[in-house]
Amino acid sequence: MEDKEKKKKDKNSSKDDRVTLKKEIGLLSACAIIIGNIIGSGIFISPKGVLEHAGSVGLSLIVWVCGGGICALGSMCYAELGVTIPKSGGDYSYVTEIFGGLVGFLLLWSAVLIMYPTTLAVIALTFSNYVLQPAFQNCLPPYIATRLLATICILFLTWVNCSSVRWATRIQDVFTVGKLLALALIIVVGLVQICRGHYDALRPSVAFEFSQDPSVGQIALAFLQASFAYSGWNFLNYVTEEVVEPRKNLPRAIYISIPLVTLVYTMTNIAYFSSMTPEELLASNAVAVTFGEKLLGMFSWVMPISVALSTFGGINGYLFTSSRLCFSGAREGHLPYLLAMIHLKNCTPIPALLVCVSTVLPVLSTLSNATMTQSKTGKMSPHDTMSHVPQCIATIVILCIGEMHNLINYVSFINYLSYGVTIAGLLYLRKKRPNLARPIKVNMLIPITYMIFWAVLLCFSLYSEPVVCGLGMVIMLTGVPVYFVGVQWKDKPKWIYRVVERVTYMGQKVCYVVFPQEDPSETEPLTASKAND
């Protein structure tokens, strides 16, 4: 009897001592990851773009509500995929499992080289601009100051994420609460204004006065602008292997977070229109700050600080989840194997985090002088655009697109393309492997409805913005030759393998990392069903 207990104790002890990603994300932290990644700079940037393309206050509010509804449909599909294929990596892992390596690599290629660096740089520079704004009230903050502060912010949060998963999740928890309190302040002040009778722009007769003839193409672009603010709703799926009881907490976090964010976003936009006319909102490049200046008086400084806190938490969330995407890609052999290693003691993917940072920092200079300046002044000097040599693909994209709202359309188009392919994978998996264990199984109308909306949105967006959206598709397709050369070509010259091995060995010594040990129990439903199918 004692021998059995000793063996059981030794077994549990060895399991606890395994070098693997730690499960430290409970339900609260899971909700904080979703809410914290969704609420970043988007709600302070996108209202202008949504109103501009929608053409009226009423239609813009409908877009915000429907945008949240579409995210809810998509998140329910992701909840099924997340517990059916319990791997970190989100879209990439699901698509790779269902459609194979090439399709998965294309999603990985566009995300790692374009979407994450660009989005992170936008959020970081939004953070630095709002932090510095109180010190430079009558002019733009200096270029060097914004770039330096943004860089320090990213490097600090990278250090935190390298040091401890628990620290990173605690930062996410605290700043998510801060974001919700900041938006709650806007909502409460807006409701007070409405109670005082200041709601002229919200009257139905005024709200649906269109500044331009509405078209399906423009409405589609309005949805793309809103989707930038909602982006991040699928990020919990990127860290599934670090969630405590993912089969319970993953869907619960999704069902709690998405409706809450939709309500907060809709009420925030209603609050904006309680004190600002459509013309004032379109003229403002910092909606929350303009709102604060009009209604908070001497306390207007609260708004820039609130936006800075919001974006700080957003940077942390993007670093946390994007590093797990690189980790998953390396584990599948689509990126260097060094990126699939974790720190021996901290159990954090340090190489993946460092690669994520290295793709973001070169983008900061281009965004700081070009896109961000244009978003504030409405003008962009050709000298500013070409004054810095492009250092990565994301930088080239920024130079081609230039204007902030076009950049948002580009990123949102790529995001929606990824969402649609992933949910199409769910439908394909239902047909090809009906016996696969599914702890959650959504009604078929949900993914079908999403796919119909997805097809209409992408087609009309491509029609309305062929250059911006077409550039996104071209960049994604450039990954095809990279895949066949880098992944499929197995008979490379031996010197290439020797160089890779040498770099991997040096990286292991510098970062003190090893390959994590896998827990077979995490993929039991998937592997067991494979045997039955």
Side-chain angles (χ1 to χ4, degrees):
M1 188 73 174
E2 291 180 359
D3 291 341
K4 286 184 178 179
E5 290 181 358
K6 186 177 180 181
K7 288 180 180 179
K8 186 175 181 181
K9 186 176 180 181
D10 291 341
K11 184 178 180 181
N12 291 334
S13 177
S14 63
K15 186 175 181 179
D16 292 337
D17 293 339
R18 286 185 301 111
V19 181
T20 186
L21 295 172
K22 301 297 184 183
K23 289 185 174 295
E24 295 186 346
I25 302 175
L27 179 60
L28 178 62
S29 293
C31 292
I33 286 174
I34 297 176
I35 297 172
N37 275 292
I38 294 177
I39 302 177
S41 61
I43 186 59
F44 307 107
I45 296 174
S46 295
K48 177 180 178 179
V50 173
L51 178 62
E52 184 178 355
H53 290 294
S56 73
V57 172
L59 186 55
S60 69
L61 292 176
I62 292 173
V63 168
W64 282 105
V65 175
C66 292
I70 294 300
C71 288
L73 295 179
S75 65
M76 286 189 278
C77 297
Y78 272 65
E80 176 179 327
L81 287 168
V83 296
T84 304
I85 306 175
K87 294 182 179 180
S88 293
D91 316 62
Y92 163 74
S93 294
Y94 308 147
V95 168
T96 302
E97 180 74 28
I98 298 167
F99 293 125
L102 176 59
V103 181
F105 180 82
L106 293 180
L107 294 188
L108 181 69
W109 172 260
S110 59
V112 172
L113 292 183
I114 305 296
M115 285 194 300
Y116 281 122
T118 304
T119 306
L120 261 172
V122 168
I123 297 174
L125 285 165
T126 302
F127 164 80
S128 61
N129 273 286
Y130 275 98
V131 168
L132 295 172
Q133 189 174 29
F136 299 92
Q137 295 184 0
N138 299 320
C139 62
L140 290 172
Y143 161 73
I144 294 177
T146 55
R147 185 177 64 173
L148 182 61
L149 183 57
T151 302
I152 291 172
C153 174
I154 290 175
L155 292 178
F156 170 73
L157 288 174
T158 301
W159 173 77
V160 170
N161 278 268
C162 288
S163 300
S164 171
V165 172
R166 183 167 295 177
W167 291 3
T169 55
R170 291 298 175 268
I171 286 178
Q172 197 69 10
D173 295 346
V174 171
F175 280 88
T176 296
V177 173
K179 295 176 187 188
L180 291 175
L181 290 176
L183 293 176
L185 175 63
I186 294 175
I187 292 170
V188 169
V189 173
L191 291 177
V192 170
Q193 283 291 100
I194 291 174
C195 291
R196 291 177 176 175
H198 301 286
Y199 52 85
D200 291 341
L202 297 171
R203 297 178 186 275
S205 58
V206 178
F208 288 94
E209 287 183 359
F210 288 90
S211 60
Q212 60 185 16
D213 293 333
S215 66
V216 178
Q218 288 300 314
I219 295 173
L221 292 177
F223 270 104
L224 283 187
Q225 291 286 326
S227 72
F228 179 79
Y230 280 110
S231 63
W233 56 264
N234 61 325
F235 277 14
L236 184 60
N237 293 69
Y238 283 62
V239 295
T240 305
E241 294 171 35
E242 295 169 77
V243 176
V244 177
E245 297 186 49
R247 295 169 197 170
K248 293 181 180 179
N249 288 330
L250 177 65
R252 285 176 182 173
I254 289 173
Y255 299 151
I256 292 171
S257 303
I258 303 300
L260 176 62
V261 172
T262 303
L263 176 63
V264 168
Y265 273 12
T266 305
M267 295 303 296
T268 300
N269 278 274
I270 290 174
Y272 286 154
F273 290 118
S274 70
S275 61
M276 301 170 67
T277 65
E279 292 74 22
E280 287 176 325
L281 192 146
L282 290 173
S284 172
N285 290 296
V287 180
V289 174
T290 304
F291 178 87
E293 289 172 350
K294 293 193 68 172
L295 297 182
L296 299 181
M298 62 182 293
F299 296 102
S300 60
W301 56 267
V302 172
M303 282 298 105
I305 299 301
S306 298
V307 177
L309 293 176
S310 178
T311 50
F312 186 84
I315 296 167
N316 181 69
Y318 264 84
L319 282 173
F320 187 82
T321 52
S322 62
S323 62
R324 272 56 178 183
L325 178 61
C326 290
F327 171 85
S328 300
R331 191 169 55 181
E332 294 289 340
H334 291 167
L335 290 174
Y337 284 116
L338 178 62
L339 305 186
M341 298 184 185
I342 62 176
H343 193 268
L344 191 61
K345 293 182 178 179
N346 298 336
C347 297
T348 53
I350 291 178
L353 280 161
L354 295 179
V355 165
C356 290
V357 173
S358 69
T359 60
V360 175
L361 295 182
V363 186
L364 289 175
S365 60
T366 307
L367 273 173
S368 184
N369 260 11
T371 309
M372 297 300 290
T373 300
Q374 186 178 10
S375 71
K376 288 180 173 291
T377 64
K379 299 177 182 180
M380 180 169 62
S381 165
H383 173 73
D384 288 338
T385 306
M386 301 306 296
S387 60
H388 302 282
V389 178
Q391 300 178 55
C392 64
I393 297 177
T395 307
I396 297 172
V397 170
I398 293 165
L399 291 174
C400 292
I401 294 176
E403 205 270 333
M404 172 65 79
H405 294 295
N406 283 341
L407 191 63
I408 290 174
N409 285 338
Y410 164 77
V411 173
S412 300
F413 182 84
I414 294 293
N415 269 331
Y416 258 105
L417 198 58
S418 302
Y419 301 155
V421 173
T422 305
I423 293 176
L426 183 147
L427 296 172
Y428 180 81
L429 203 61
R430 285 280 191 94
K431 181 179 180 181
K432 291 296 181 180
R433 298 172 63 185
N435 298 325
L436 190 64
R438 293 177 172 87
I440 295 176
K441 192 172 183 178
V442 299
N443 189 292
M444 284 292 286
L445 287 176
I446 292 175
I448 290 173
T449 302
Y450 187 94
M451 289 304 297
I452 292 173
F453 173 84
W454 173 82
V456 171
L457 178 68
L458 259 64
C459 287
F460 280 99
S461 299
L462 191 59
Y463 173 77
S464 299
E465 289 282 359
V467 175
V468 173
C469 298
L471 182 62
M473 296 185 69
V474 170
I475 292 294
M476 180 178 283
L477 291 176
T478 58
V480 174
V482 177
Y483 174 78
F484 283 106
V485 172
V487 180
Q488 285 291 90
W489 182 25
K490 303 297 183 183
D491 299 325
K492 298 182 182 71
K494 292 183 180 180
W495 66 267
I496 295 179
Y497 290 108
R498 286 196 295 268
V499 170
V500 171
E501 288 176 5
R502 184 64 180 171
V503 171
T504 303
Y505 177 69
M506 291 176 61
Q508 282 188 269
K509 293 185 69 175
V510 170
C511 297
Y512 199 50
V513 293
V514 295
F515 278 112
Q517 296 169 301
E518 294 185 5
D519 185 357
S521 65
E522 291 300 318
T523 54
E524 273 181 7
L526 184 66
T527 54
S529 297
K530 280 183 177 179
N532 295 330
D533 285 347

